[in-house]
């Protein structure tokens, strides 16, 4: 056998390896093939090919492993069980940019399923290899690394802390400043996944100077980027007054209110969430939102948004109204009562109805004038209906009852009170009667109306 014919066997073996990894990578894109390949022991066969002498085979093998791991947590566990992670991590620091992208994809696919699998990725020293990839020249390698880091951080505070300790945050802030829009999106998303767990983690992201670069992106034309930016700012602001003030000082108002009118529904929802997370902390922050035109913008969003998307704006209006009668009045003046009542009546989901009931209570509980605005809009009857309806959730019943009590305690609008006298359970009748007892002795006209409308007869 000559040297040439011997080499032909090597070439045939290489072609077979190429054909195998490429066909497995292709087949892994179709869910119906996954179980067949799993039963055929595909992970054990792919593992040695990750260290193949031919770079294209390595890349295809990594891509195949990533697609399989992405499909289910069983296959992701098989990646961990077959000790594939250490090989990937080693190659991540040694290989070319194409392999780095594929390896980061595998790490992301494993980490996404559960905290335990993400911890396995961290335990394999993956962060030490992923974080330097954020400094790669190729933006697609940075994207892959940032994506994997975000998927690790999303599960819980200890995993997010591992990401912070590995030095990822300052590099994510640098990635946010790169011209590529996808890289900006993924970096903002990863920072959001870090921030959401605790004030300390949010503070770490703020300390890296992120807010100064996030805030201007609110006005960016790309909708998917705006979604991530508004979401990240909300995750920072939610934890404390200090963090909310950092977000506000970056001059997000009134730009973020323009996002409430955006064509993209998720941008509108995430912007409303950010406004809510700022509004809930102090009267000063709530006042700043109102002074920026926030009350009217939130009211419009409640009117326009479908279903669950309006929930953040409903809650934001409640938080603003809770602080003072002046802020509550600003919501009444902005015609906020009618859309809240409509959502209370028309929305099928009880948790949305409960939020409306709570917000309406916060608006109406301050003074007789506030309560009258709710009474004249026929809100009290609908709160009562939610409270007594047998299909209402316990939370909805409780919030409706509390709001109704708070508003009734201030209500001097007797025409609105009288129908409640007939329809209410005894507990609510008690509050209605208390209002009549306080008002009728001093108001001749009210006494006459009360008798003419059959109120006295009903009581007898």
């Amino acid at each position: 056998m000559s040297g040439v014919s011997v080499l032909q066997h090597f070439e045939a073996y290489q072609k077979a390896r190429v054909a195998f990894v490429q066909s497995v990578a292709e087949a892994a894109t179709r869910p119906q093939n996954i179980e067949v390949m799993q039963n055929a022991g595909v992970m054990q066969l792919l593992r040695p090919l990750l260290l193949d002498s031919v770079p294209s085979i390595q890349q295809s093998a990594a891509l195949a492993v990533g697609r399989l791991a992405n499909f289910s947590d069983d296959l992701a566990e098989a990646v961990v069980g077959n000790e594939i992670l250490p090989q990937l991590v080693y190659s991540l620091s040694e290989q070319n940019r194409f392999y780095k992208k594929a390896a980061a994809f595998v790490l992301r696919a494993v980490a996404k399923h559960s905290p335990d699998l993400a911890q396995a990725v961290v335990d394999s020293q993956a962060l030490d290899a992923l974080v330097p990839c954020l400094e790669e020249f190729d933006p697609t390698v940075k994207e892959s690394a940032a994506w994997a880091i975000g998927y690790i951080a999303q599960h819980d505070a200890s995993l997010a802390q591992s990401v912070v300790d590995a030095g990822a945050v300052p590099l994510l802030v640098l990635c946010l400043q790169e011209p590529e829009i996808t890289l900006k999106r993924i970096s903002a998303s990863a920072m959001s996944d870090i921030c959401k767990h605790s004030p300390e983690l949010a503070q770490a992201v703020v300390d890296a100077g992120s807010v100064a670069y996030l805030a201007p992106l609110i006005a960016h034309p790309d909708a998917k980027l705006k979604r991530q930016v508004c979401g990240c700012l909300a995750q920072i602001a939610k934890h404390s007054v200090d963090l909310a003030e950092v977000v506000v000082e970056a001059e997000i108002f009134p730009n973020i209110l323009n996002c409430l009118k955006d064509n993209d529904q998720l941008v509108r929802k995430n912007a409303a969430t950010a406004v809510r997370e700022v509004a809930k902390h102090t009267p000063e922050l709530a006042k700043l939102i109102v002074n920026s035109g926030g009350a009217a913008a939130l009211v419009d969003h409640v009117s326009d948004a479908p279903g669950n998307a309006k929930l953040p704006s409903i809650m934001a209006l409640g938080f603003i109204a809770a602080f003072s009668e002046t802020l509550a009045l600003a919501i009444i003046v902005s015609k906020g009562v009618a859309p809240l009542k409509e959502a209370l009546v028309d929305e099928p989901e009880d948790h949305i109805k409960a939020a409306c009931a709570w917000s309406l209570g916060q608006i109406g509980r301050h003074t007789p004038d506030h309560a009258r605005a709710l009474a004249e809009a026929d809100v009290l009857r609908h709160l009562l209906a939610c409270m007594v309806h047998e299909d209402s959730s316990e939370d909805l019943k409780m919030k409706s009852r509390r709001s109704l009590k708070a508003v009734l305690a201030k209500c001097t609008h007797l025409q609105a009170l009288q129908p409640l006298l007939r329809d209410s359970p005894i507990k609510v009748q008690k509050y209605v009667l208390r209002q009549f007892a306080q008002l009728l002795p001093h108001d001749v006209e009210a006494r006459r109306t009360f008798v003419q409308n059959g109120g006295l007869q009903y009581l007898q």
Side-chain angles (χ1 to χ4, degrees):
M1 190 182 270
S2 70
V4 174
S5 59
V6 169
L7 284 175
Q8 283 175 339
H9 294 300
F10 282 88
E11 285 172 12
Y13 178 47
Q14 181 170 321
K15 282 177 183 170
R17 297 201 312 277
V18 170
F20 174 73
V21 289
Q22 286 180 347
S23 57
V24 169
E26 175 62 26
T29 59
R30 290 185 285 279
Q32 65 268 28
N33 299 330
I34 302 284
E35 194 176 344
V36 178
M37 292 195 290
Q38 191 175 1
N39 294 337
V42 68
M43 283 298 178
Q44 290 91 325
L45 295 171
L46 286 171
R47 186 188 171 200
L49 298 175
L50 290 165
L51 295 175
D52 199 277
S53 57
V54 180
S56 65
I57 294 174
Q58 289 184 357
Q59 288 156 32
S60 297
L63 186 62
V65 170
R67 285 175 178 168
L68 291 162
N70 201 37
F71 181 75
S72 74
D73 49 2
D74 284 348
L75 283 158
E77 280 166 12
V79 172
V80 176
N82 283 296
E83 297 189 348
I84 288 172
L85 292 178
Q87 288 177 215
L88 287 166
V89 171
Y90 169 76
S91 304
L92 202 56
S93 52
E94 299 288 321
Q95 294 289 350
N96 64 32
R97 62 198 173 104
F98 300 108
Y99 188 83
K100 285 180 177 178
K101 275 163 53 180
F105 170 54
V106 180
L107 295 173
R108 175 180 111 216
V110 173
K112 81 170 194 179
H113 292 289
S114 70
D116 290 340
L117 285 165
Q119 189 61 55
V121 172
V122 172
D123 292 343
S124 69
Q125 312 299 314
L127 286 171
D128 293 339
L130 281 169
V131 170
C133 289
L134 294 172
E135 296 183 278
E136 282 281 327
F137 178 73
D138 186 334
T140 57
V141 175
K142 291 179 186 173
E143 283 170 29
S144 299
W147 213 338
I149 285 166
Y151 272 55
I152 292 167
Q154 71 180 357
H155 293 290
D156 60 40
S158 68
L159 286 163
Q161 188 62 55
S162 301
V163 168
V164 172
D165 292 343
V169 176
L171 296 175
L172 287 170
V173 175
L174 287 174
C175 289
L176 197 63
Q177 299 165 57
E178 295 287 341
E180 290 79 17
I181 290 174
T182 35
L183 182 53
K184 286 178 188 285
R185 281 183 208 151
I186 294 165
S187 303
S189 173
M191 286 193 281
S192 182
D193 286 330
I194 295 167
C195 288
K196 68 183 181 182
H197 300 291
S198 73
E200 292 75 23
L201 287 162
Q203 190 65 55
V205 172
V206 168
D207 289 345
S210 58
V211 177
Y213 296 103
L214 285 165
L217 296 175
I218 291 169
H220 198 281
D222 183 73
K224 288 179 181 173
L225 176 57
K226 282 189 283 191
R227 286 179 199 171
Q228 301 298 348
V229 168
C230 291
C232 187
L233 291 170
Q235 297 292 6
I236 292 170
K238 74 178 185 181
H239 293 290
S240 70
V241 178
D242 290 343
L243 287 165
E245 284 176 350
V246 169
V247 170
V248 169
E249 282 163 10
E251 298 182 0
I252 63 164
F253 293 103
N255 282 349
I256 202 161
L257 300 177
N258 297 333
C259 291
L260 293 174
K261 301 183 184 70
D262 198 89
N263 293 329
D264 185 275
Q265 188 180 308
L266 268 173
V267 172
R268 296 201 299 271
K269 185 180 179 184
N270 288 0
T273 305
V275 174
R276 179 191 72 193
E277 300 300 1
V278 171
K280 72 182 185 182
H281 290 292
T282 66
E284 291 75 24
L285 288 169
K287 187 177 179 183
L288 180 107
I289 292 167
V290 170
N291 290 346
S292 303
L298 289 166
V299 169
D300 289 345
H301 185 242
V302 172
S303 303
D304 300 339
N308 215 36
K310 63 177 70 183
L311 186 60
S313 287
I314 291 168
M315 293 177 70
L317 290 172
F319 282 128
I320 291 168
F323 283 117
S324 74
E325 58 186 73
T326 315
L327 291 168
L329 187 61
I331 291 165
I332 294 169
V333 169
S334 300
K335 299 183 171 57
V337 175
L340 287 171
K341 185 194 87 169
E342 282 167 26
L344 180 71
V345 175
D346 298 337
E347 284 298 328
E349 302 276 346
D350 271 9
H351 69 280
I352 300 175
K353 285 178 180 281
C356 291
W358 174 76
S359 290
L360 287 163
Q362 299 304 324
I363 293 168
R365 69 182 175 80
H366 293 284
T367 69
D369 289 338
H370 292 75
R372 187 184 184 98
L374 265 64
E376 288 176 346
D378 196 24
V379 168
L380 302 182
R381 190 167 59 86
H382 293 295
L383 284 172
L384 177 64
C386 290
M387 179 183 141
V388 298
H389 199 286
E390 59 188 26
D391 293 337
S392 294
S393 67
E394 286 306 310
D395 185 49
L396 174 56
K397 287 178 180 176
M398 181 187 74
K399 286 191 166 65
S400 299
R401 184 174 69 248
R402 284 181 177 172
S403 292
L404 194 57
K405 278 168 59 176
V407 177
L408 284 175
K410 297 289 182 184
C411 189
T412 57
H413 187 52
L414 298 179
Q415 290 93 320
L417 289 172
Q418 203 152 324
L420 294 179
L421 204 54
R422 291 187 180 80
D423 305 334
S424 306
I426 290 170
K427 280 184 177 178
V428 177
Q429 283 180 346
K430 184 173 70 176
Y431 292 101
V432 177
L433 286 170
R434 183 184 295 166
Q435 291 306 102
F436 277 120
Q438 286 175 356
L439 297 166
L440 291 179
H442 310 294
D443 190 335
V444 177
E445 186 60 35
R447 287 202 295 273
R448 187 179 298 125
T449 309
F450 183 66
V451 173
Q452 286 170 349
N453 290 344
L456 185 63
Q457 187 181 351
Y458 176 76
L459 289 175
Q460 289 169 332

